[in-house]
Amino acid sequence: MMIDAVLFYVFAAIAVASAVVVIGQRNPMYSAFALVVTLCSVAVIFGLLGSPFIAVLQVIVYAGAIMVLFLFVLMLLNVKREKDSPSRGQRTLSGVALALVTVLVLQAGAVLLRSRPTPAPDYDASTFEMAKILFSPHFLYAFEATSILILAALVGAVVLAKKEL
Amino acid sequence: MTPLAEELLVTFVKIVIVVGALLGGFSVMTWVERRSLAFMQYRLGPNRTGPFGILQPIADGIKLFFKEEVMPVAANKWTFLAAPVVAVATALLATAVIPYGPPFEAFGRTLQIQIADIEVGLLFIFAVTALGVYGVVLAGWAANNKYSLLGGLRSSAQMFSYELALGFSWVTLILAARSFRINDIVDTQAGGFWHWNVVVHFPAFIVYFLAATAEVARIPFDLPEGESEIVAGFHTEYASMRFALIQMAEYINMITVTVLLANLFFGGWHSGVPGMPESLGGFPLGFVWWGLKVAFFLFVFIWLRGTLPRFRYDQLMQFGWKVLIPVAAVWVMTFAVLWVVVGGGPR
């Protein structure tokens, strides 16, 4: 639909612009805020693709939980604005060059592999349908294994951070 | 009119009604809260402006409007300005997916005062309240004041901890309704009051009530403000209309959790009395039951404020992580097993 396309380009532009701010900004607090904006814009794009569940999860997990922890640490350590270094122009130049090379390589790869952008498949992406796929034998073991992996990482982090339990 | 234009018009009218009612509710609530607290403390409270002081919110608004806007020299200008806006925006956004009262027939169609009836309603509220913490954190950080920063830090830690318990308390309701839609959850509670989730999911209700109180930082969980410890916490440096915006966000959040409490646990617009007529002379009685429930629980929040002292910070963290979350988790497990074994759950 027309409105969907307009919304897509608006939020895609916001996502890219704020992503540039994340890496370009010297003040770590501003970088963190810009990353929140990026994550929320990506969530809107998920919503436009017809998957409100993924959109909401994106906001809850990344923008709501992980970024709040980032900000908490930044505020607690009181991280100051990064100092200007003499080689700044040089580094910006090499960064832009590297980004261009990456885009060219990816485009070349896409042309060589003759892959074209395909429209989103027209399927029912409701929460119920997604849950059925996620808990089908095809994905169930991977899904459960991932949760065990996350739990192991969590326990590991607690053990590393706390010398005495 | 084309269907799209009609849909847009209906949504626009709903937005005006909901936002208008919330802003009105906010100003009335400030007066109700001050008067009720005063009576609980053997005082009179604001009783001079208009009959019973009912015009006090208007006087407050005029006063705040004409006060000087002060910004600390060392404050981070744009963040300082953005913080109250973020707070109000997230508070209002969360109210978009909540149904206010029953569906009713009018203008030849079925209407309901709910801006967007989305499939993932409860999760949407969860996501937006998770974003709501940024308003407080930004305010605390941007003022460049030690008390503000302490308030902001406390707030982020507190909301982060209690959000988990809040989300956990919804899990069994979602399971039982097999849907994230708030309307579906309300509909599972139709019939007698023993069908209400407060009866069926009593442990979840306790967890929700405590976690919601902490989430909106009301006494006894108002550590982010803690005026006897850190002046006024995250909004120490705010004055005038910016202060009013922060207050507005807090009251709207309180109204949101109260409406959710009535909808999710107390049957929403269902009377709870079997055989009660649906409407009286064309007026849906659901609005009355729903309004009474919401009003009562708003009063309970004020009542708590007039009754309880504040938690200590370490007690707050202990309580959230070592009591509420385990209770919620055990209840989810217990309910899931009981539902499958005894009740009509999926096999």
Side-chain angles (χ1 to χ4, degrees):
Chain A
M1 233 168 72
M2 185 62 197
I3 298 176
D4 279 14
V6 171
L7 285 175
F8 171 79
Y9 283 111
V10 167
F11 281 97
I14 294 174
V16 173
S18 51
V20 170
V21 174
V22 174
I23 51 172
Q25 182 52 242
R26 301 329 268 320
N27 188 331
M29 281 299 267
Y30 286 163
S31 289
F33 299 149
L35 191 52
V36 174
V37 176
T38 310
L39 294 168
C40 291
S41 319
V42 174
V44 174
I45 292 173
F46 280 133
L48 286 172
L49 285 172
S51 188
F53 186 70
I54 302 285
V56 167
L57 275 197
Q58 165 93 1
V59 176
I60 293 175
V61 175
Y62 291 100
I66 291 176
M67 287 316 294
V68 172
L69 272 188
F70 273 36
L71 279 180
F72 190 76
V73 172
L74 284 175
M75 278 166 67
L76 207 60
L77 302 180
N78 201 8
V79 186
K80 287 279 182 286
R81 190 177 185 277
E82 203 178 302
K83 291 277 185 302
D84 274 324
S85 68
S87 60
R88 188 175 181 202
Q90 210 181 337
R91 274 192 289 159
T92 312
L93 207 66
S94 51
V96 171
L98 190 65
L100 280 176
V101 169
T102 312
V103 170
L104 282 177
V105 168
L106 287 177
Q107 282 295 335
V111 170
L112 284 178
L113 295 172
R114 290 166 208 276
S115 72
R116 286 198 185 80
T118 46
D122 190 24
Y123 59 88
D124 185 6
S126 74
T127 316
F128 188 71
E129 291 302 318
M130 214 192 72
K132 272 210 299 209
I133 298 170
L134 201 58
F135 291 102
S136 70
H138 196 61
F139 287 113
L140 179 66
Y141 301 109
F143 179 69
E144 295 294 342
T146 312
S147 58
I148 293 171
L149 185 70
I150 292 171
L151 184 67
L154 204 69
V155 173
V158 171
V159 170
L160 282 178
K162 279 225 161 194
K163 291 285 183 319
E164 295 166 30
L165 283 171
Chain B
M1 262 197 297
T2 61
L4 180 68
E6 198 177 313
E7 201 59 37
L8 283 176
L9 181 72
V10 169
T11 309
F12 181 74
V13 171
K14 281 179 182 173
I15 292 174
V16 170
I17 291 173
V18 169
V19 173
L22 280 171
L23 298 188
F26 150 67
S27 40
V28 173
M29 271 304 289
T30 60
W31 174 76
V32 172
E33 174 147 25
R34 289 173 69 184
R35 285 288 280 185
S36 320
L37 275 180
F39 285 129
M40 287 174 201
Q41 297 160 347
Y42 293 101
R43 297 185 285 117
L44 282 175
N47 64 346
R48 296 302 176 91
T49 329
F52 308 106
I54 187 78
L55 297 178
Q56 186 67 33
I58 297 171
D60 282 343
I62 294 170
K63 180 196 78 176
L64 283 169
F65 199 75
F66 284 106
K67 269 180 116 173
E68 187 187 355
E69 301 252 15
V70 187
M71 192 192 290
V73 180
N76 188 310
K77 194 179 169 201
W78 291 110
T79 324
F80 190 79
L81 293 176
V85 179
V86 172
V88 172
T90 48
L92 282 176
L93 200 56
T95 62
V97 296
I98 303 173
Y100 305 87
F104 56 93
E105 302 284 334
F107 309 114
R109 54 193 288 171
T110 307
L111 291 169
Q112 188 172 23
I113 306 178
Q114 178 183 24
I115 296 169
D117 185 11
I118 61 174
E119 185 198 17
V120 289
L122 266 187
L123 282 180
F124 181 85
I125 291 176
F126 194 61
V128 175
T129 47
L131 291 180
V133 68
Y134 286 111
V136 176
V137 170
L138 288 180
W141 176 78
N144 217 337
N145 168 323
K146 294 222 164 33
Y147 296 117
S148 299
L149 187 66
L150 277 174
L153 279 172
R154 281 182 175 191
S155 174
S156 53
Q158 176 176 331
M159 295 215 187
F160 195 75
S161 309
Y162 281 79
E163 234 161 48
L164 289 172
L166 193 77
F168 246 136
S169 71
W170 290 341
V171 171
T172 53
L173 311 186
I174 295 164
L175 270 180
R178 301 173 189 231
S179 168
F180 291 109
R181 280 179 70 232
I182 300 170
N183 277 323
D184 289 344
I185 296 175
V186 173
D187 285 341
T188 59
Q189 306 173 71
F193 64 86
W194 52 91
H195 293 298
W196 288 0
N197 282 333
V198 65
V199 180
V200 185
H201 303 271
F202 187 69
F205 161 69
I206 297 289
V207 172
Y208 174 80
F209 186 65
L210 294 173
T213 316
E215 201 56 20
V216 296
R218 297 277 304 179
I219 283 175
F221 301 103
D222 68 332
L223 284 98
E225 294 179 41
E227 69 277 355
S228 55
E229 302 159 20
I230 50 172
V231 191
F234 65 94
H235 60 59
T236 303
E237 297 290 358
Y238 281 90
S240 187
M241 282 315 279
R242 292 177 201 145
F243 173 74
L245 281 179
I246 289 179
Q247 286 293 309
M248 189 194 291
E250 288 189 347
Y251 273 98
I252 291 174
N253 282 332
M254 180 173 139
I255 295 173
T256 306
V257 297
T258 313
V259 173
L260 273 181
L261 182 69
N263 279 351
L264 296 181
F265 289 98
F266 285 87
W269 44 87
H270 297 296
S271 65
V273 182
M276 186 67 85
E278 287 280 306
S279 61
L280 192 71
F283 179 75
L285 282 173
F287 279 107
V288 176
W289 316 134
W290 181 83
L292 285 174
K293 287 168 191 171
V294 172
F296 175 73
F297 286 107
L298 282 173
F299 178 72
V300 168
F301 277 113
I302 297 171
W303 196 1
L304 283 179
R305 181 170 170 187
T307 314
L308 295 174
R310 182 179 303 130
F311 268 95
R312 223 169 49 215
Y313 187 71
D314 59 317
Q315 291 171 333
L316 175 92
M317 285 294 145
Q318 292 261 340
F319 183 67
W321 288 97
K322 295 188 177 169
V323 179
L324 277 190
I325 293 175
V327 166
V330 167
W331 169 244
V332 170
M333 298 290 180
T334 317
F335 176 78
V337 170
L338 284 178
W339 195 39
V340 173
V341 175
V342 185
R347 291 266 171 191

